[in-house]
Amino acid sequence: MTDCVFCKIVARQIPSTVVFEDESTLAFMDTGSVNPGHVLVACKAHVDNVFGLDERQAAAMFQTVARVARAINRAFSPQGVSIYQANGVAAGQTVFHAHIHVVPRHEGDGMDLVWPAKHPPRAALEQAAARIRSAL
Ligand SMILES: [Zn+2]
């Protein structure tokens, strides 16, 4: 896609600091890093988000994420590693090319995800599960 910043990074039309690539994915340093070692794993093909990934691309993305997360863990010895992926504006997606953040974490690093657990009743969980199963 001509106007997509990640397509331009994949095509090397915009410079990036690459840490890994294979046939389907490119892993590069996030210029807006939260902590040193923050990497983005992008699908090489333009796909807006997880909804457009085929099975092979989805598998390749998480294979690269796991590989990069292990490398970050060895290289930076963080207290933890967060893996973050957003789909759609309401979910916080800002670049509409499928990508996954791999972020080394440290207590007090300022990164936060508010998780307002609502603890719905079991019947509501069963109802939601039935809707998902029928859509698989
Ligand atoms: Zn793109």
Side-chain angles (χ1 to χ4, degrees), residues 1-10 43-48 95-98:
M1 185 179 261
T2 53
D3 288 341
C4 174
V5 66
F6 284 5
C7 281
K8 289 180 179 175
I9 288 172
V10 168
C43 185
K44 278 190 171 173
H46 181 86
V47 175
D48 285 348
V95 177
F96 292 86
H97 178 127

Side-chain angles (χ1 to χ4, degrees), residues 57-119:
Q57 290 167 324
M61 292 276 288
F62 206 77
Q63 189 171 40
T64 297
V65 164
R67 186 172 185 164
V68 168
R70 289 191 295 267
I72 289 169
N73 208 35
R74 283 192 293 269
F76 289 90
S77 300
Q79 292 174 305
V81 173
S82 289
I83 293 169
Y84 182 77
Q85 198 273 330
N87 304 285
V89 172
Q93 186 176 11
T94 57
V95 177
F96 292 86
H97 178 127
H99 64 283
I100 302 173
H101 291 261
V102 187
V103 187
R105 300 297 309 279
H106 307 278
E107 284 184 32
D109 65 11
M111 186 171 163
D112 197 11
L113 175 65
V114 177
W115 194 285
K118 297 182 174 94
H119 305 288

